[in-house]
Amino acid sequence: MEYKQAFSNTCDFLSKINDPGKVASYIPELGSVDPNKFGVHLTTINGESFSHGDFDEKFSIQSIAKVLSLVLAYELEGEKLWKRVGVEPSGTAFNSLVQLEHDKGIPRNPLINSGALVVCDILVDHLKNSKQTFIEYIRKVADNDSINYNEKVAQSEKEHGYRNAALINLMKAYGNIDGNCDEVLDFYFHLCAIEMTCAELSRTFMFLVNDGIDPFTKEKIISTEKSKRINTLMQLCGFYDEAGEFSFKVGIPGKSGVGGGIIAVLPEHFSVAVWSPPLNEKGNSYKGMRFLEMFNQATDSSVF
């Protein structure tokens, strides 16, 4: 498939349009980001890459990191993981307390906040020096030793993370959190504060393009079966209560973050990262969603 022209045309078009989205302001460190930033990077399984705009500027990947924490927890915990978190689309806001109470403390899926907190609880239990061990794991997957947490973002998350505190305490009351709530929350806030560029993010997710194996280093990150399940969860649950529309319009697995980033993968073909901070009303990057819809239509890229 020839991607160059479609990539260039889509980026050029979106660079010129007005963005009606709004930068996430409930986390002050995110609210201070320049709303005019727009970067894209696509990496193909054959090693080609295409870049646009602010593709080499680091940003907070936020909930995109939930995919990576899930991959590690799935490796450590195996199928027992699914006794504590479901695999269904939420259909409600990513931080819904009402749904969590209705489901008696079992999150609908691991990519909403409550589900990611359960995953973090598992990792804190398994990993010695959990934050350091986890960032070293991310560096291995990314093949990049420069990946790190943004401590200012983590602190900002902590100072305004009241709803996440409510979620974890509710699950603790239902017996679905084993560890210390404050320790798990601290790990979660750091998880969301990981910084990458579009180029780094696209590169990091190449193992999900290639059945769980990094196509460049040949290192096995996760089994083929588990890789397919992770991609399925991204397809079904990667965009909160806009997941159905994303599947309908874009048709490939992906995950968004309120920092304005989106990662999407077409198995056996490419990984693409988009960053544009203003979010639509569902909490997903407005231009990021538009890019993926337009690019995939132009290239007929879909898992369906």
Side-chain angles (χ1 to χ4, degrees):
M1 173 62 69
E2 174 57 50
Y3 299 121
K4 184 176 181 179
Q5 194 61 52
F7 183 91
S8 178
N9 290 346
T10 305
C11 289
D12 289 346
F13 174 80
L14 290 174
S15 295
K16 298 171 184 175
I17 68 169
N18 291 324
D19 191 333
K22 296 181 179 180
V23 174
S25 58
Y26 63 93
I27 302 171
E29 279 295 319
L30 298 184
S32 64
V33 174
D34 183 352
N36 296 310
K37 295 292 184 181
F38 178 50
V40 192
H41 188 91
L42 184 146
T43 307
T44 74
I45 199 167
N46 297 321
E48 290 184 292
S49 63
F50 306 98
S51 304
H52 175 84
D54 303 301
F55 73 95
D56 59 350
E57 183 169 336
K58 287 187 181 290
F59 63 94
S60 179
I61 69 172
Q62 291 290 308
S63 287
I64 296 171
K66 293 173 182 175
V67 178
L68 301 172
S69 59
L70 173 61
V71 169
L72 181 55
Y74 198 7
E75 281 291 274
L76 294 171
E77 192 78 351
E79 300 305 318
K80 292 186 298 180
L81 172 66
W82 309 118
K83 294 180 180 179
R84 297 181 59 185
V85 60
V87 294
E88 298 291 339
S90 64
T92 59
F94 58 85
N95 55 4
S96 173
L97 284 158
V98 174
Q99 185 178 74
L100 185 62
E101 183 158 26
H102 177 271
D103 294 337
K104 301 187 185 309
I106 304 295
R108 287 286 174 95
N109 67 71
L111 300 182
I112 54 176
N113 289 22
S114 55
L117 285 164
V118 170
V119 168
C120 287
D121 183 48
I122 290 168
L123 292 178
V124 168
D125 180 55
H126 276 277
L127 304 178
K128 186 177 181 180
N129 300 320
S130 55
K131 287 186 291 187
Q132 183 61 34
T133 303
F134 183 71
I135 202 66
E136 289 172 358
Y137 170 77
I138 297 300
R139 291 167 181 165
K140 182 188 78 169
V141 175
D143 193 28
N144 186 333
D145 289 337
S146 74
I147 307 298
N148 217 332
Y149 304 113
N150 183 317
E151 291 293 342
K152 287 185 177 180
V153 172
Q155 183 62 30
S156 188
E157 297 249 12
K158 182 177 181 179
E159 291 172 357
H160 298 84
Y162 304 115
R163 185 171 286 264
N164 287 316
L167 289 168
I168 197 170
N169 279 283
L170 181 59
M171 290 189 290
K172 184 78 169 179
Y174 277 107
N176 199 22
I177 294 292
D178 295 329
N180 177 275
C181 289
D182 289 338
E183 184 179 0
V184 176
L185 279 170
D186 182 61
F187 182 88
Y188 174 81
F189 294 141
H190 278 80
L191 167 76
C192 293
I194 290 173
E195 284 191 324
M196 292 190 193
T197 68
C198 288
E200 291 167 344
L201 187 58
S202 175
R203 171 66 181 86
T204 299
F205 274 74
M206 284 303 296
F207 73 98
L208 291 176
V209 177
N210 193 45
D211 290 334
I213 299 172
D214 186 317
F216 307 124
T217 66
K218 308 304 180 184
E219 182 163 0
K220 181 180 178 180
I221 306 299
I222 196 170
S223 71
T224 297
E225 179 184 2
K226 289 178 179 177
S227 175
K228 292 180 185 299
R229 289 187 173 184
I230 297 293
N231 279 337
T232 300
L233 279 166
M234 287 201 293
Q235 184 78 61
L236 294 173
C237 312
F239 294 85
Y240 312 122
D241 48 338
E242 198 175 6
E245 187 166 353
F246 183 81
S247 286
F248 184 75
K249 291 183 176 180
V250 180
I252 64 175
K255 183 71 189 84
S256 63
V258 295
I262 297 178
I263 185 69
V265 300
L266 180 60
E268 301 181 6
H269 294 279
F270 65 76
S271 167
V272 59
V274 191
W275 175 48
S276 177
L279 310 177
N280 64 19
E281 60 184 13
K282 300 291 188 179
N284 299 311
S285 170
Y286 174 81
K287 280 190 176 180
M289 298 290 273
R290 288 290 306 276
F291 172 86
L292 290 165
E293 180 183 353
M294 293 176 64
F295 177 77
N296 282 21
Q297 286 179 353
T299 58
D300 195 26
S301 297
S302 174
V303 297
F304 302 109

Short mmCIF file of all heavy atoms in Angstrom, two decimals, residues 96-119:
data_model
loop_
_atom_site.label_atom_id
_atom_site.label_comp_id
_atom_site.label_asym_id
_atom_site.label_seq_id
_atom_site.Cartn_x
_atom_site.Cartn_y
_atom_site.Cartn_z
N SER A 96 -16.86 6.87 35.16
CA SER A 96 -18.20 6.74 35.74
C SER A 96 -18.19 5.95 37.04
O SER A 96 -17.74 4.80 37.09
CB SER A 96 -19.14 6.05 34.74
OG SER A 96 -20.39 5.78 35.34
N LEU A 97 -18.71 6.55 38.09
CA LEU A 97 -18.90 5.87 39.36
C LEU A 97 -20.21 5.08 39.37
O LEU A 97 -20.30 4.01 39.98
CB LEU A 97 -18.92 6.89 40.50
CG LEU A 97 -17.57 7.46 40.93
CD1 LEU A 97 -17.75 8.78 41.64
CD2 LEU A 97 -16.84 6.47 41.83
N VAL A 98 -21.21 5.60 38.68
CA VAL A 98 -22.53 4.96 38.67
C VAL A 98 -22.44 3.56 38.07
O VAL A 98 -22.95 2.59 38.63
CB VAL A 98 -23.54 5.83 37.89
CG1 VAL A 98 -24.87 5.09 37.74
CG2 VAL A 98 -23.74 7.17 38.57
N GLN A 99 -21.76 3.46 36.92
CA GLN A 99 -21.63 2.16 36.28
C GLN A 99 -20.83 1.19 37.14
O GLN A 99 -21.18 0.02 37.27
CB GLN A 99 -20.96 2.31 34.92
CG GLN A 99 -20.88 1.01 34.12
CD GLN A 99 -20.24 1.22 32.77
OE1 GLN A 99 -19.03 1.40 32.66
NE2 GLN A 99 -21.05 1.22 31.73
N LEU A 100 -19.77 1.68 37.76
CA LEU A 100 -18.92 0.83 38.58
C LEU A 100 -19.69 0.28 39.78
O LEU A 100 -19.55 -0.90 40.13
CB LEU A 100 -17.69 1.61 39.06
CG LEU A 100 -16.65 0.82 39.84
CD1 LEU A 100 -16.06 -0.30 39.00
CD2 LEU A 100 -15.54 1.76 40.33
N GLU A 101 -20.52 1.10 40.39
CA GLU A 101 -21.31 0.61 41.52
C GLU A 101 -22.37 -0.39 41.05
O GLU A 101 -22.61 -1.41 41.69
CB GLU A 101 -21.98 1.77 42.25
CG GLU A 101 -22.77 1.31 43.48
CD GLU A 101 -23.00 2.41 44.49
OE1 GLU A 101 -23.03 3.58 44.09
OE2 GLU A 101 -23.16 2.08 45.68
N HIS A 102 -22.97 -0.10 39.89
CA HIS A 102 -23.95 -1.03 39.33
C HIS A 102 -23.33 -2.40 39.09
O HIS A 102 -23.97 -3.44 39.28
CB HIS A 102 -24.51 -0.47 38.02
CG HIS A 102 -25.47 -1.38 37.32
ND1 HIS A 102 -25.06 -2.33 36.40
CD2 HIS A 102 -26.82 -1.51 37.42
CE1 HIS A 102 -26.12 -2.99 35.96
NE2 HIS A 102 -27.20 -2.51 36.56
N ASP A 103 -22.05 -2.40 38.67
CA ASP A 103 -21.35 -3.65 38.37
C ASP A 103 -20.59 -4.21 39.57
O ASP A 103 -19.74 -5.09 39.42
CB ASP A 103 -20.38 -3.43 37.20
CG ASP A 103 -21.10 -3.11 35.90
OD1 ASP A 103 -22.29 -3.47 35.79
OD2 ASP A 103 -20.48 -2.50 35.01
N LYS A 104 -20.89 -3.69 40.75
CA LYS A 104 -20.34 -4.20 42.02
C LYS A 104 -18.81 -4.23 42.04
O LYS A 104 -18.18 -5.20 42.47
CB LYS A 104 -20.92 -5.58 42.34
CG LYS A 104 -22.45 -5.58 42.45
CD LYS A 104 -22.98 -6.89 42.93
CE LYS A 104 -24.51 -6.93 42.92
NZ LYS A 104 -25.15 -5.79 43.60
N GLY A 105 -18.23 -3.14 41.54
CA GLY A 105 -16.79 -2.97 41.66
C GLY A 105 -15.95 -3.67 40.61
O GLY A 105 -14.72 -3.68 40.70
N ILE A 106 -16.59 -4.26 39.60
CA ILE A 106 -15.86 -4.91 38.51
C ILE A 106 -15.92 -3.99 37.29
O ILE A 106 -16.98 -3.83 36.69
CB ILE A 106 -16.46 -6.29 38.15
CG1 ILE A 106 -16.50 -7.19 39.37
CG2 ILE A 106 -15.65 -6.93 37.01
CD1 ILE A 106 -15.13 -7.57 39.92
N PRO A 107 -14.81 -3.38 36.90
CA PRO A 107 -14.83 -2.46 35.75
C PRO A 107 -15.22 -3.17 34.46
O PRO A 107 -14.91 -4.35 34.26
CB PRO A 107 -13.39 -1.96 35.68
CG PRO A 107 -12.83 -2.19 37.04
CD PRO A 107 -13.49 -3.44 37.54
N ARG A 108 -15.88 -2.44 33.57
CA ARG A 108 -16.32 -3.02 32.30
C ARG A 108 -15.13 -3.47 31.44
O ARG A 108 -15.22 -4.46 30.72
CB ARG A 108 -17.16 -2.01 31.52
CG ARG A 108 -18.55 -1.78 32.10
CD ARG A 108 -19.48 -2.94 31.82
NE ARG A 108 -20.76 -2.78 32.49
CZ ARG A 108 -21.85 -2.25 31.93
NH1 ARG A 108 -21.79 -1.81 30.67
NH2 ARG A 108 -22.97 -2.14 32.60
N ASN A 109 -14.05 -2.70 31.46
CA ASN A 109 -12.88 -3.06 30.65
C ASN A 109 -11.63 -2.40 31.24
O ASN A 109 -11.74 -1.50 32.07
CB ASN A 109 -13.09 -2.68 29.17
CG ASN A 109 -13.15 -1.19 28.95
OD1 ASN A 109 -12.13 -0.50 29.05
ND2 ASN A 109 -14.34 -0.66 28.65
N PRO A 110 -10.44 -2.83 30.83
CA PRO A 110 -9.21 -2.32 31.44
C PRO A 110 -8.73 -0.99 30.88
O PRO A 110 -7.69 -0.49 31.32
CB PRO A 110 -8.19 -3.43 31.12
CG PRO A 110 -8.70 -4.06 29.88
CD PRO A 110 -10.19 -3.98 29.93
N LEU A 111 -9.47 -0.40 29.94
CA LEU A 111 -9.01 0.85 29.32
C LEU A 111 -9.76 2.07 29.82
O LEU A 111 -9.45 3.19 29.43
CB LEU A 111 -9.11 0.74 27.79
CG LEU A 111 -8.27 -0.39 27.17
CD1 LEU A 111 -8.38 -0.38 25.65
CD2 LEU A 111 -6.80 -0.30 27.59
N ILE A 112 -10.77 1.88 30.67
CA ILE A 112 -11.37 3.00 31.38
C ILE A 112 -10.62 3.17 32.71
O ILE A 112 -9.85 2.29 33.12
CB ILE A 112 -12.88 2.80 31.61
CG1 ILE A 112 -13.17 1.46 32.30
CG2 ILE A 112 -13.63 2.91 30.29
CD1 ILE A 112 -14.64 1.25 32.64
N ASN A 113 -10.85 4.27 33.40
CA ASN A 113 -10.05 4.57 34.59
C ASN A 113 -10.12 3.48 35.65
O ASN A 113 -9.10 3.07 36.21
CB ASN A 113 -10.49 5.90 35.18
CG ASN A 113 -10.09 7.08 34.32
OD1 ASN A 113 -9.86 6.93 33.12
ND2 ASN A 113 -10.02 8.26 34.91
N SER A 114 -11.33 3.01 35.95
CA SER A 114 -11.46 1.99 37.00
C SER A 114 -10.73 0.71 36.61
O SER A 114 -10.05 0.09 37.45
CB SER A 114 -12.94 1.71 37.27
OG SER A 114 -13.62 1.35 36.09
N GLY A 115 -10.85 0.31 35.36
CA GLY A 115 -10.16 -0.89 34.90
C GLY A 115 -8.65 -0.74 34.95
O GLY A 115 -7.93 -1.66 35.33
N ALA A 116 -8.17 0.43 34.56
CA ALA A 116 -6.73 0.69 34.61
C ALA A 116 -6.22 0.70 36.04
O ALA A 116 -5.08 0.29 36.31
CB ALA A 116 -6.42 2.01 33.92
N LEU A 117 -7.05 1.14 36.97
CA LEU A 117 -6.65 1.12 38.39
C LEU A 117 -6.51 -0.32 38.90
O LEU A 117 -5.60 -0.62 39.67
CB LEU A 117 -7.67 1.89 39.23
CG LEU A 117 -7.58 3.42 39.11
CD1 LEU A 117 -8.84 4.07 39.66
CD2 LEU A 117 -6.34 3.95 39.84
N VAL A 118 -7.38 -1.21 38.46
CA VAL A 118 -7.24 -2.62 38.81
C VAL A 118 -5.94 -3.18 38.23
O VAL A 118 -5.20 -3.91 38.90
CB VAL A 118 -8.45 -3.44 38.32
CG1 VAL A 118 -8.19 -4.94 38.46
CG2 VAL A 118 -9.70 -3.06 39.09
N VAL A 119 -5.65 -2.83 36.98
CA VAL A 119 -4.40 -3.26 36.35
C VAL A 119 -3.20 -2.73 37.13
O VAL A 119 -2.23 -3.46 37.38
CB VAL A 119 -4.35 -2.79 34.88
CG1 VAL A 119 -2.95 -2.96 34.29
CG2 VAL A 119 -5.37 -3.55 34.04
#
